[in-house]
């Protein structure tokens, strides 16, 4: 009898354990970050009164919250590129950090492609978590979705990245890849997942506006964990039956979404963003070691020589006249983009470099801003307007003063602003007002920085961006590479030569 | 693409961020006054956040 009773209870236990989850209740916690961009150390954002972020503190918070509930830790893209802490190791540091933290899944962000497909493939191989991209074809090792079993729940995680990725990076980084509309990819995955998942999470790197549109357009998504737009969604939003969250940027907050499910449906949810800053809680020692180790390597790398100059490089007078350092940087810009002409504002260059060895940190001090290159088709008239604007601040020095390559002009300080630029030669030939030239500059000026309007005007005249074979084509935009900073191009140039000795060449002559 | 900053339309390049939009609208200096950018649903957005066509940003 006792054996029979024992058998009966064992059978009951087996049946209870094997019972489909839909018949019961389950709790799940989703922890999420997005757009980390290598900000592993705490930092003080613009206009912020204190340091924020820090992955050791974030990891400590993850450890604590994980212990409270069955949890999945998710990354919504843009994890391996951005800050020196990531860039100088091409994201290897980020992956090591994420492995140590035990991430459960990550979706590709547009910036994951910035180091090229070969490097990205290496990073994916190093990752001890699946890397997702349901709407990306042609890149091996990524998966459209993964099913995680947590607390008896089958959680499907589908990853999608913005289909605009080819416009956010160099075309060579996405050669051979196809990016389809995220909604279409999600809908296809949902068909495959029918009957196989108790909860569907879309891990998205398409931006908050697009997340809302996705939720409105595609039924059957329980949660969208978002990124790309760096949106601080302090309490979750719900569109139809889909809960949408996003955790700002740079690890300054950790997203927490608690879900209670019954019979396969979310019956209760609550979400919040936990602020992360130094002293906000215990740190994770392993992550602290990883952060510190790579930070030390950053300092060591920045202290390394990258080149040599046989002359002083003048960064002091860039706001008043042509200098050899201005010429050098402009030449590098023109070369990198294949443009006819390059123009940058003197204010981009912050200091000089003395004759002798050049270290990486010297270039970082000369060019501290995260500027990237663009090249735009402009008429000769628009180019001259840009030059006039550049010299309009004289005789006072101003950040807008132009440093140029591929052209020369005379500047009459005594003339009124707007009428100072004379005898412009492009490639040795007189500038023709109606002719179209390809002009390299950087994103700050292209967006209208320092009052430069000509670039925006030129771009407006050629609106209608479209993709052909993954590459950006547009009437007036010739080159656009947000993934590579100007200063890294300068470093690469210096490394390629035993020494440099730039001299001013009379590109900007003062007359009358 | 066109986005709006405090209802002012500005043109920016693909790949540009909230920072560029504020620059194009001549409002980047507002950040030093303590203002922050928000989307049309009232969520603060990071300066490096991506833009989407017709996005509406408000500084407050």
């Amino acid at each position: 009898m006792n054996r029979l009773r024992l058998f009966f209870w064992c059978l009951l236990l087996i049946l209870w354990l094997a019972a489909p989850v839909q018949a019961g209740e389950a709790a799940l916690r989703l922890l999420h970050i997005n757009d980390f961009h290598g900000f592993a150390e705490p930092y003080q954002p613009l206009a912020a009164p204190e340091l924020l972020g820090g992955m050791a503190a974030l990891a400590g918070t993850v450890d604590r919250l994980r212990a409270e509930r069955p949890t999945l830790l998710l990354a919504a893209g843009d994890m391996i590129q951005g800050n020196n802490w990531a860039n100088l190791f091409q994201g290897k540091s980020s992956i090591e950090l994420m492995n140590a933290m035990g991430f459960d899944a990550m979706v590709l962000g547009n910036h994951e492609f910035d180091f090229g497909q070969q490097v990205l493939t290496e990073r994916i191989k190093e990752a001890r978590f699946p890397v997702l991209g349901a709407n990306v074809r042609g890149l091996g090792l990524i998966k459209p979705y993964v099913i995680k079993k947590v607390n008896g729940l089958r959680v499907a995680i589908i990853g999608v990245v913005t289909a605009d990725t080819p416009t956010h990076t160099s075309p060579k980084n996405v050669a051979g890849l196809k990016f389809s509309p995220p909604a279409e990819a999600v809908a296809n995955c949902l068909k495959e997942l029918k009957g196989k998942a108790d909860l569907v999470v879309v891990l998205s790197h398409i931006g908050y506006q697009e997340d809302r549109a996705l939720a409105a357009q595609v039924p059957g998504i329980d949660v969208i964990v978002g990124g790309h737009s760096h949106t601080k969604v302090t309490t979750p939003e719900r569109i139809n039956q889909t809960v949408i969250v996003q955790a700002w940027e740079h690890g300054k907050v950790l997203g927490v979404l608690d879900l209670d499910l019954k019979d396969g449906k979310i019956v209760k949810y609550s979400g919040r963003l936990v602020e992360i800053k130094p002293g906000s809680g215990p740190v994770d020692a392993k992550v602290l070691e990883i952060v510190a180790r790579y930070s030390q390597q950053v300092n060591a790398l920045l202290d390394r020589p990258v080149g040599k100059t046989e002359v002083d490089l003048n960064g002091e007078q860039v706001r008043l006249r042509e200098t050899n350092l201005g010429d050098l940087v402009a030449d590098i810009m023109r070369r990198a983009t294949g443009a006819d002409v390059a123009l940058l504002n003197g204010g981009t260059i912050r200091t000089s470099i003395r004759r002798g060895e050049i270290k990486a940190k010297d270039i970082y001090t000369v060019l501290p801003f995260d500027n990237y290159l663009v090249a735009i088709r402009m008429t000769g008239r628009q180019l001259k307007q840009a030059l006039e604007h550049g010299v309009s601040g004289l005789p006072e020095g101003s950040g807008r003063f132009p440093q140029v390559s591929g052209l020369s002009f005379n500047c009459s300080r005594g003339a009124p602003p707007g009428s100072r630029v004379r005898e412009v030669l492009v490639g040795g030939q007189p500038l023709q007002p109606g002719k179209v030239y390809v002009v390299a500059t950087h994103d700050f000026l292209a967006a209208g920085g320092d009052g430069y309007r000509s670039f925006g005007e030129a771009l407006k005249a050629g609106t209608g961006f479209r993709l052909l074979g993954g590459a950006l084509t547009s009437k007036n935009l010739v080159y656009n590479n947000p993934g590579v900073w100007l200063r890294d191009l300068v470093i690469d140039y210096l490394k390629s030569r035993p020494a440099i000795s730039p001299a001013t060449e009379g590109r900007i002559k003062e007359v009358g | 693409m066109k986005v709006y900053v405090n209802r002012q339309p500005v043109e920016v390049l693909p790949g540009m961020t909230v920072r560029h939009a504020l620059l194009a609208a001549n409002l980047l200096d507002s950040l030093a006054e303590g203002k922050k950018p928000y989307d049309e649903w009232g969520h603060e957005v990071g300066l490096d956040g991506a833009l989407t066509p017709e996005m509406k940003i408000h500084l407050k």
Side-chain angles (χ1 to χ4, degrees):
Chain A
M1 210 41 198
N2 278 342
R3 266 193 224 166
L4 196 61
R5 198 176 288 143
L6 180 63
F7 172 75
F8 172 75
W9 285 112
C10 286
L11 186 61
L12 209 59
L13 181 66
I14 289 166
L15 286 172
W16 178 73
L17 286 171
V21 144
Q22 288 87 344
E25 297 174 351
L28 178 67
R29 171 168 282 171
L30 300 180
L31 299 177
H32 56 100
I33 65 170
N34 52 281
D35 301 282
F36 161 60
H37 285 293
F39 280 78
E41 302 245 52
Y43 78 107
Q44 193 160 356
L46 183 66
E50 58 184 345
L51 294 173
L52 298 177
M55 286 308 274
L58 189 143
T61 306
V62 167
D63 294 339
R64 177 173 57 83
L65 292 171
R66 240 182 190 145
E68 292 173 358
R69 248 189 191 224
T71 294
L72 288 172
L73 176 60
L74 305 174
D78 278 2
M79 301 296 290
I80 73 170
Q81 182 274 357
N83 189 282
N84 282 340
W85 192 91
N87 281 3
L88 291 177
F89 313 101
Q90 296 188 311
K92 194 176 175 71
S93 47
S94 298
I95 298 298
E96 185 176 337
L97 179 79
M98 293 173 72
N99 283 344
M101 289 176 66
F103 272 83
D104 291 290
M106 167 185 155
V107 65
L108 290 170
N110 50 291
H111 281 290
E112 256 69 69
F113 294 87
D114 285 343
F115 302 122
Q117 292 176 48
Q118 193 174 339
V119 170
L120 176 55
T121 301
E122 286 303 310
R123 296 293 87 83
I124 295 171
K125 283 181 185 167
E126 291 158 4
R128 294 204 292 262
F129 46 86
V131 178
L132 309 175
N135 63 323
V136 182
R137 291 280 173 271
L139 185 69
L141 301 182
I142 60 169
K143 299 178 185 344
Y145 59 81
V146 65
I147 299 176
K148 294 279 188 180
K149 291 195 179 139
V150 191
N151 195 24
L153 282 170
R154 298 166 303 171
V155 182
I157 307 167
I158 305 169
V160 283
V161 61
T162 172
D164 290 339
T165 294
T167 70
H168 292 245
T169 192
S170 170
K172 63 177 165 56
N173 290 340
V174 290
L177 302 183
K178 283 193 166 45
F179 292 79
S180 60
E184 187 182 292
V186 170
N188 289 337
C189 288
L190 286 171
K191 282 185 203 149
E192 284 182 33
L193 287 165
K194 202 174 168 61
K196 297 177 186 167
D198 305 304
L199 184 78
V200 174
V201 176
V202 170
L203 193 51
S204 124
H205 196 83
I206 63 176
Y208 183 70
Q209 185 171 301
E210 298 301 318
D211 285 340
R212 293 180 67 97
L214 178 63
Q217 193 182 340
V218 180
I221 305 170
D222 295 299
V223 178
I224 298 177
V225 173
H228 189 51
S229 51
H230 298 221
T231 309
K232 192 177 180 183
V233 181
T234 48
T235 45
E237 300 267 359
R238 198 166 198 179
I239 306 268
N240 297 335
Q241 297 305 306
T242 306
V243 177
I244 305 175
V245 294
Q246 190 169 146
W248 205 9
E249 62 180 5
H250 302 168
K252 293 188 286 195
V253 296
L254 171 67
V256 185
L257 179 65
D258 287 334
L259 302 168
D260 291 328
L261 288 91
K262 188 174 178 181
D263 299 335
K265 285 188 168 27
I266 298 174
V267 294
K268 187 178 162 195
Y269 68 91
S270 70
R272 63 192 192 279
L273 297 179
V274 175
E275 196 175 60
I276 303 296
K277 56 185 177 180
S280 60
V283 299
D284 182 297
K286 177 114 178 58
V287 170
L288 184 67
E289 183 275 327
I290 293 170
V291 172
R293 176 161 35 90
Y294 278 102
S295 292
Q296 280 166 13
Q297 290 180 44
V298 166
N299 292 337
L301 283 169
L302 291 180
D303 210 39
R304 277 195 194 167
V306 295
K308 185 180 169 190
T309 176
E310 288 165 352
V311 298
D312 290 340
L313 301 177
N314 183 351
E316 252 106 64
Q317 293 173 317
V318 283
R319 292 168 182 245
L320 280 167
R321 56 178 53 89
E322 175 193 354
T323 76
N324 61 350
L325 183 49
D327 282 356
L328 173 70
V329 175
D331 285 344
I332 291 169
M333 289 169 63
R334 186 163 67 92
R335 189 170 288 114
T337 56
D340 300 313
V341 163
L343 185 157
L344 75 151
N345 57 321
T348 294
I349 297 171
R350 308 305 285 185
T351 191
S352 299
I353 296 178
R354 292 191 62 178
R355 182 164 59 105
E357 184 181 80
I358 305 173
K359 295 186 175 181
K361 65 184 180 187
D362 297 327
I363 301 302
Y364 275 68
T365 310
V366 168
L367 299 167
F369 306 116
D370 292 343
N371 291 129
Y372 62 86
L373 298 191
V374 298
I376 297 165
R377 286 195 181 88
M378 301 172 72
T379 63
R381 188 172 295 108
Q382 288 167 330
L383 177 53
K384 186 164 180 285
Q385 278 170 358
L387 294 173
E388 287 284 7
H389 175 72
V391 300
S392 62
L394 293 171
E396 305 295 323
S398 73
R400 74 177 89 116
F401 188 89
Q403 301 292 328
V404 298
S405 172
L407 70 80
S408 64
F409 66 97
N410 293 344
C411 175
S412 173
R413 285 189 185 217
S419 307
R420 292 176 167 173
V421 174
R422 315 273 164 86
E423 291 168 46
V424 183
L425 299 177
V426 176
Q429 300 298 313
L431 177 83
Q432 294 174 51
K435 184 176 172 177
V436 173
Y437 300 92
V438 176
V439 180
T441 187
H442 56 46
D443 60 304
F444 176 73
L445 294 192
D450 269 354
Y452 276 90
R453 296 291 161 210
S454 301
F455 300 107
E457 293 299 328
L459 287 166
K460 234 188 263 181
T463 51
F465 300 104
R466 60 199 172 89
L467 292 175
L468 273 182
L472 176 72
T473 62
S474 158
K475 189 178 161 208
N476 284 353
L477 182 66
V478 174
Y479 181 96
N480 185 33
N481 194 355
V484 176
W485 305 140
L486 169 59
R487 59 169 174 267
D488 292 326
L489 290 172
V490 172
I491 287 173
D492 287 345
Y493 177 85
L494 293 171
K495 281 181 178 173
S496 70
R497 284 154 173 78
I500 60 169
S501 55
T504 53
E505 297 178 354
R507 297 177 190 181
I508 305 175
K509 284 199 200 77
E510 292 186 24
V511 298
Chain B
M1 69 175 126
K2 188 192 294 181
V3 301
Y4 297 85
V5 181
N6 286 0
R7 293 203 193 93
Q8 177 193 343
V10 293
E11 286 285 344
V12 290
L13 287 175
M16 283 191 168
T17 63
V18 170
R19 189 192 310 270
H20 293 105
L22 300 187
L23 187 57
N26 247 331
L27 288 171
L28 195 58
D29 290 341
S30 304
L31 301 176
E33 297 162 19
K35 292 192 176 167
K36 296 178 187 177
Y38 293 82
D39 65 18
E40 63 187 269
W41 298 282
H43 304 303
E44 187 181 345
V45 287
L47 291 179
D48 294 330
L51 301 170
T52 43
E54 304 298 310
M55 183 172 176
K56 294 167 186 58
I57 300 165
H58 300 275
L59 283 164
K60 51 181 180 176

